[in-house]
Amino acid sequence: METDIEKAARLIKAGKVVAFPTETVYGLGANALDAAAVVRIFEIKERPAFDPLIVHIAHLKDLPLISTSTDERVMLLAEKFWPGPLTIVLPKTKLIPDIVTSGLPTVGVRMPNHSMALEMISTAGCPVAAPSANKFGRVSPTNAAHVRKQLPCVDFVLDGGPTKVGIESTIVTLHESGFEILRHGFITREQLEEVLPYFQGESKAKTAAAPGMLKSHYSPIKPLYLLSDKILGRADLNNAGFISFSGIYNNRFENIVMVSKNTLLSEYAVNLFSAIHSLEESNNIEYIVAEPVNDEGIGMAIMDRLRKAAYQYL
Ligand code: TXA
Ligand code: MG
């Protein structure tokens, strides 16, 4: 009997598109060396061709297939953070089709820290290009049901239960003088600084076609607001779904999703997208209110996602 992991690997080898779990969010994967298969990812996601994909590997020995980099810092980062939620943007090889990188000379690479993902990639025998498995601009999936809700036509969903990190990987690029964070994630600047010096430059992401950097992204289908005095003054708070972190404001709301038991930012990150998904689906909720946190550590990544989700309602 073929296992689900073997089936997912076989489909990827055959040029199909498969959703699979990682430690961050579910990915929508295809053979990164097969341009036609990668085109299907863009079609299924309704993703514009200017938004490049991350390539996932299971073994460090496969990195030279994907990147020409000889930068010693890549090994330092890989040793410390892989497998794990860190994507490194590196010069690409000719083997990687232009569609994967949206024509950029660079490619984002990461090794996910999830046994099913690693086994699937290993068994498929090719690097796997995968964006988050949601419609473009919408909230990323943290379980298999979220994927099926948004992408019912995907060839197969490899179900690995809920994801452990809950927000997407940190994306870094390397400059001569240090590193630059293109997208905040679970791995914080402080953790990266322990390995590499920090580059205080202007973000190149604005011109590097990285819509993860767009001001509006992660849009829920209902309005999402950050908690403020103005919001607390609304007369219709009973129609709101509240994403609560500290518990301090719980007496003001009727519909509450607590994202943390122990007031830990890592718990907020794990539960944030799943809270948005459940409030999106809840019939008696007209709009969502989320409790903000300080822009420190993982709070940077949480606030990045919340500001983008709230952007059109600011
Ligand atoms: O945790 C994650 O990173 C998840 C899981 C599935 O691995 N993937 C993910 O992929 O979040 P996606 O496509 O939703 O976001 C990838 C973002 C792009 O939107 C773009 O901003 C950035 O990565 N990116 C990819 N390649 C890049 C490159 N060569 N240069 C700059 N940014 C790049
Ligand atoms: Mg995404």
Side-chain angles (χ1 to χ4, degrees):
M1 251 293 277
E2 187 182 51
T3 65
D4 281 355
I5 295 174
E6 286 164 353
K7 179 174 177 184
R10 172 171 59 78
L11 290 171
I12 283 186
K13 236 189 283 184
K16 305 277 187 211
V17 173
V18 163
F20 65 98
T22 79
E23 80 281 34
T24 58
V25 300
Y26 275 68
L28 186 63
N31 179 352
L33 308 180
D34 178 346
V38 173
V39 167
R40 284 266 295 141
I41 295 179
F42 284 87
E43 286 170 358
I44 293 173
K45 268 197 72 132
E46 295 168 20
R47 179 174 174 118
F50 60 73
D51 192 3
L53 306 183
I54 293 171
V55 174
H56 298 71
I57 56 173
H59 307 285
L60 211 45
K61 68 171 171 49
D62 293 335
L63 189 56
L65 272 180
I66 293 153
S67 171
T68 57
S69 174
T70 52
D71 192 327
E72 290 164 6
R73 295 172 298 174
V74 178
M75 286 307 134
L76 292 177
L77 290 172
E79 266 166 35
K80 178 92 178 178
F81 298 110
W82 282 358
L86 180 71
T87 297
I88 314 174
V89 173
L90 296 170
K92 82 173 193 75
T93 62
K94 290 205 179 81
L95 273 180
I96 300 294
D98 284 337
I99 174 103
V100 171
T101 63
S102 304
L104 293 173
T106 55
V107 59
V109 191
R110 87 175 189 101
M111 189 189 292
N113 187 14
H114 193 291
S115 60
M116 288 172 83
L118 292 172
E119 203 180 321
M120 181 194 81
I121 299 165
S122 253
T123 309
C126 58
V128 171
S132 51
N134 50 278
K135 288 273 186 206
F136 180 71
R138 296 274 314 279
V139 177
S140 297
T142 58
N143 65 36
H146 297 159
V147 179
R148 291 193 193 101
K149 177 177 83 172
Q150 288 194 35
L151 308 174
C153 64
V154 52
D155 294 322
F156 182 60
V157 181
L158 180 62
D159 192 341
T163 61
K164 292 212 162 62
V165 167
I167 49 172
E168 303 86 351
S169 60
T170 306
I171 305 182
V172 294
T173 182
L174 300 171
H175 300 288
E176 260 172 48
S177 51
F179 71 90
E180 181 183 7
I181 297 178
L182 298 179
R183 178 174 73 186
H184 291 283
F186 191 75
I187 294 190
T188 62
R189 191 181 79 192
E190 292 77 9
Q191 283 175 289
L192 292 165
E193 272 173 332
E194 282 173 23
V195 184
L196 303 177
Y198 183 52
F199 176 69
Q200 301 282 359
E202 265 288 291
S203 169
K204 303 265 189 303
K206 288 176 209 119
T207 50
M213 310 293 123
L214 288 180
K215 284 185 175 148
S216 142
H217 209 67
Y218 309 106
S219 313
I221 48 185
K222 294 177 183 171
L224 185 146
Y225 304 94
L226 290 175
L227 184 77
S228 64
D229 288 341
K230 189 174 155 210
I231 295 292
L232 285 172
R234 280 177 73 139
D236 63 344
L237 282 187
N238 57 321
N239 296 329
F242 181 48
I243 299 179
S244 172
F245 176 61
S246 65
I248 293 170
Y249 304 96
N250 285 7
N251 60 344
R252 307 294 301 274
F253 293 90
E254 286 175 22
N255 310 291
I256 299 163
V257 180
M258 278 304 288
V259 283
S260 176
K261 282 199 185 83
N262 308 301
T263 331
L264 287 176
L265 289 174
S266 56
E267 290 178 341
Y268 200 156
V270 174
N271 295 314
L272 171 61
F273 287 156
S274 147
I276 295 177
H277 280 289
S278 76
L279 292 172
E280 272 186 344
E281 283 158 32
S282 182
N283 288 334
N284 56 337
I285 303 281
E286 284 174 13
Y287 62 99
I288 302 169
V289 178
E291 185 173 349
V293 293
N294 291 336
D295 279 283
E296 284 162 22
I298 307 167
M300 295 278 281
I302 293 167
M303 287 309 294
D304 169 65
R305 307 310 187 270
L306 284 179
R307 287 196 187 99
K308 282 172 182 155
Y311 180 70
Q312 52 190 311
Y313 307 107
L314 287 178

